[in-house]
Amino acid sequence: MKQLLLALLLVTAMAVAMSPQKLLNRPMPSVTGVTLKGTTIDTAYFKGKVTLINFMSIGCQYCMGELKTLAQLHQGMKDRSDFQILCIAPQTAAQLRDFNSSNEMGFSSIRRHYKVDSIPYEILPECAQERGVSKPTVDGGFILGPECNTISKPFKVDGYPVTFLIDKHRIVREVYVGYNLADTSMATKMQVQIEQLLAQNP
């Protein structure tokens, strides 16, 4: 799409430092807020469930690739009441609703450019208001960047995407830093690790 040239103001996946790995086998940092669907996210939300927490940012090429993998996982495991996926993004609720909508213009055009369907699982915005970092430009493209890092900072996220696999006791069991667009087996690898955690006693 000619007018969808993106100037990214964020570090993309392949340049992410390994600092999130420091959380391995430790209790996950606190996450609170309200998702786009109106679900309250607090300690109770994670109790007794295996959770994939995906930190992504609108327009990040590798994030868009990983969203396809996560949608595949969600579809394959949607009947499991003890598994869930939570997307956390450094944008506002309004920006994320636009991204996930069927609007012809705006942030949803980025999703369609990457041939990504609307996100079917919970989306938690980090930001209450825009700082003016992510906005359309005069040529019809976008300048993109994190509006805030209120949740991602405690998770040591310094680039996107980063995905954490959390067990039923809120312990970080795996950290996926970045995303390899050429690795078509990622969904299968994730599912194997998820199934192992699901098999463990509550």
Side-chain angles (χ1 to χ4, degrees), residues 10 13 16 21 32 55 74 78 90-91 97 99 112-113 129 141 185 188 190 199:
L10 48 89
V16 176
Q21 300 283 0
T32 59
F55 286 90
H74 174 78
K78 64 181 181 181
Q91 277 88 33
R97 282 193 189 96
F99 174 78
R112 291 195 305 276
H113 171 74
Q129 61 186 14
S185 65
T188 302
M190 284 183 167

Side-chain angles (χ1 to χ4, degrees), residues 1-6 113 139-141:
M1 184 181 296
K2 185 177 179 180
Q3 294 196 344
L4 194 65
L5 299 175
L6 305 177
H113 171 74
D139 64 356

Side-chain angles (χ1 to χ4, degrees), residues 67-116:
L67 287 180
K68 296 176 184 179
T69 293
L70 297 179
Q72 182 181 341
L73 267 175
H74 174 78
Q75 179 64 26
M77 304 186 71
K78 64 181 181 181
D79 295 329
R80 292 294 305 250
S81 60
D82 52 355
F83 173 72
Q84 58 194 359
I85 301 176
L86 175 64
C87 172
I88 302 178
Q91 277 88 33
T92 67
Q95 290 169 329
L96 289 164
R97 282 193 189 96
D98 184 22
F99 174 78
N100 221 34
S101 74
S102 57
N103 295 338
E104 291 297 321
M105 303 296 290
F107 293 120
S108 62
S109 63
I110 297 171
R111 180 176 53 75
R112 291 195 305 276
H113 171 74
Y114 287 106
K115 297 179 174 59
V116 177

